[in-house]
Amino acid sequence: MKMKKAILSCLMLMGVLSASAQEQKGTTEYVFEPHWYIQLQGGANYTVGETKFKGLISPTVQGAVGYQFSKAIGARLAINAWQGKGGYDIEKLINQNVLPQGTPDDYWNYKYTYFAPAIDLTFDLSNIIAGFNPNRVVSFGAFIGGGLNFRSKASDDVKAVKSQVENVCNKSLYNYTPMPDDYMDAATLLFGQAGLTMDIKVSEAIKIGLEANANILGDKFNYKKAGNPDSYFNLLAGVKIALGPTYSTKFIPAPEPQIEYVEKIVEKVVEAPCPEPVIEPIRRDVFFVINKSVIRDSEEQKVKDIVDYMRQNQTAKVMVTGYADAGTGNDKINDRLAAQRADAVVKMLTQKYGIPADRISYDSKGARVQPFADNDSNRVSICIAEVQK
């Protein structure tokens, strides 16, 4: 009976050791981080008017500061400015004998400047439709908003066109759009806008942004009294820079399998096998400075100890667990710091010392678990390497 109990105890012990030797499995989840960003863009403006299309194209620039509240919705303050153009249909006037043949296309064309700040509500269509993915190379969005357009006072060129129109046109032949005196003053006009965007990822912080928008505003924008709203379109390209992290990672361990123990009774044991030599696990605690995830030179030797152990024992694997101290920050900041500290050790093991990734498992506990009584010591990644059976 004593022999049977001894054999049963050995079998149970082997089951426990085998379970503890299994590599921890799980999935990494991307977590969206709210963040600020800036945009700088340049492109072309088309102001709807009577003259030929190419005569209404102008340069334009835009700068914006925005905040992405969630993976789907954000807001921005955008300032669009530079130049608009207007003019009259010279070809129509020539055909009606109002102007002589050979009159240049730009005879009654003119340009002016404007300054238009707007507040927009933005929507990330790619995240809304396909889910959040920070590794997506091309993403699409939309926005809607409005603001104030400060159009400049009429220049001498505009006034000259006004004079020419009034002196040359015969109202019975050509129903021209008048340019009243009060339309020549500087104007402040409410406007609404909507548009579409496309962002191309260059790095974690930088994207190339393309934008097309349409704007509708008051009748005075192009100095003509037409009795209907004026409008213009912008086509822009530029750079979008995120100010801070846009996402973090969260490791979700897989559920632990339940172990069932089966009692096996051996009637007779002839000879007990010789036990294999036991190689003890190794533990190293890599400490970090507050709010940092960079491994200091003084701590790198601990990582080298793990590397030496794994090179001497080819079946060994290492578990890296990151922590943050509960005395500073909050759960959101501490979760990110703990994950970054574990990731820093993993990157040093794989990229600097060539340890295969399939021999490394990692986890992060944030500040919800405190392995040390001393608060500052919990800014740590705990590394435990052991030989696998």
Side-chain angles (χ1 to χ4, degrees):
M1 182 61 69
K2 291 183 179 180
M3 181 61 70
K4 291 181 181 179
K5 290 183 178 180
I7 293 172
L8 179 59
S9 299
C10 290
L11 291 173
M12 294 179 66
L13 179 60
M14 290 176 63
V16 172
L17 293 175
S18 176
S20 64
Q22 296 296 319
E23 180 181 358
Q24 183 170 0
K25 298 181 180 180
T27 58
T28 298
E29 179 182 290
Y30 293 113
V31 180
F32 172 82
E33 294 286 350
H35 58 277
W36 290 92
Y37 64 86
I38 59 173
Q39 281 182 298
L40 298 173
Q41 298 171 298
N45 169 287
Y46 170 71
T47 305
V48 177
E50 297 172 63
T51 190
K52 291 183 179 180
F53 178 82
K54 65 179 182 179
L56 297 171
I57 301 297
S58 305
T60 188
V61 294
Q62 182 166 286
V65 176
Y67 188 76
Q68 193 68 26
F69 297 100
S70 69
K71 62 184 181 181
I73 299 176
R76 72 175 185 178
L77 170 63
I79 300 177
N80 176 245
W82 200 343
Q83 188 172 277
K85 285 187 177 179
Y88 287 86
D89 189 343
I90 301 299
E91 185 175 344
K92 184 176 181 179
L93 292 172
I94 292 173
N95 291 337
Q96 294 181 346
N97 296 319
V98 176
L99 292 174
Q101 293 288 337
T103 302
D105 287 345
D106 61 352
Y107 181 66
W108 276 350
N109 288 0
Y110 54 90
K111 58 187 178 181
Y112 48 92
T113 58
Y114 70 90
F115 175 82
I119 296 177
D120 299 319
L121 186 64
T122 63
F123 306 92
D124 192 314
L125 300 181
S126 296
N127 284 343
I128 292 172
I129 297 171
F132 178 63
N133 179 7
N135 297 317
R136 185 178 289 120
V137 177
V138 179
S139 56
F140 296 91
F143 63 89
I144 186 170
L148 293 175
N149 185 297
F150 300 92
R151 193 260 292 144
S152 64
K153 183 179 180 180
S155 66
D156 291 340
D157 290 342
V158 178
K159 293 177 181 178
V161 170
K162 169 181 166 62
S163 178
Q164 291 171 169
V165 171
E166 293 173 346
N167 291 334
V168 174
C169 283
N170 183 330
K171 294 183 181 180
S172 64
L173 296 176
Y174 178 59
N175 185 21
Y176 70 93
T177 303
M179 303 174 74
D181 290 338
D182 61 328
Y183 275 48
M184 298 293 104
D185 297 330
T188 301
L189 307 170
L190 285 171
F191 75 96
Q193 70 172 355
L196 297 173
T197 62
M198 181 176 74
D199 291 330
I200 303 172
K201 179 180 178 181
V202 177
S203 68
E204 297 300 332
I206 299 175
K207 294 180 180 179
I208 300 298
L210 304 178
E211 178 178 325
N213 62 56
N215 303 262
I216 186 167
L217 67 173
D219 188 32
K220 289 185 177 182
F221 183 63
N222 62 2
Y223 303 99
K224 296 181 182 181
K225 186 175 182 179
N228 55 265
D230 291 332
S231 60
Y232 62 87
F233 300 86
N234 290 320
L235 185 61
L236 302 160
V239 63
K240 181 177 182 181
I241 305 173
L243 306 178
T246 60
Y247 72 96
S248 59
T249 56
K250 180 180 180 181
F251 181 77
I252 303 176
E256 293 290 340
Q258 293 186 351
I259 302 173
E260 296 183 0
Y261 299 99
V262 179
E263 180 178 355
K264 183 178 180 181
I265 300 176
V266 179
E267 296 296 335
K268 184 177 182 181
V269 176
V270 177
E271 186 177 17
C274 295
E276 294 182 2
V278 176
I279 301 175
E280 294 294 332
I282 180 176
R283 169 175 167 167
R284 291 294 183 268
D285 300 336
V286 181
F287 295 100
F288 295 84
V289 177
I290 185 172
N291 201 30
K292 299 292 183 181
S293 60
V294 177
I295 299 175
R296 295 170 291 171
D297 293 341
S298 59
E299 297 296 299
E300 186 172 345
Q301 181 58 50
K302 298 176 181 179
V303 181
K304 291 180 180 178
D305 292 345
I306 298 293
V307 172
D308 292 340
Y309 181 93
M310 298 189 71
R311 286 175 176 171
Q312 293 169 6
N313 303 283
Q314 292 300 314
T315 62
K317 294 188 177 183
V318 62
M319 179 65 194
V320 181
T321 306
Y323 298 86
D325 69 282
T328 58
N330 53 46
D331 284 344
K332 180 178 178 181
I333 295 173
N334 290 333
D335 286 346
R336 183 178 74 250
L337 276 173
Q340 290 173 346
R341 287 165 178 168
D343 186 59
V345 175
V346 171
K347 285 182 177 178
M348 181 171 284
L349 288 170
T350 57
Q351 297 177 9
K352 185 170 184 177
Y353 292 107
I355 300 300
D358 60 0
R359 298 181 64 190
I360 303 171
S361 299
Y362 64 92
D363 192 6
S364 60
K365 303 295 186 182
R368 296 174 177 83
V369 176
Q370 299 288 274
F372 298 98
D374 172 51
N375 179 73
D376 293 354
S377 298
N378 292 303
R379 303 163 190 152
V380 66
S381 284
I382 297 177
C383 310
I384 300 176
E386 58 183 337
V387 175
Q388 306 296 297
K389 298 294 185 178

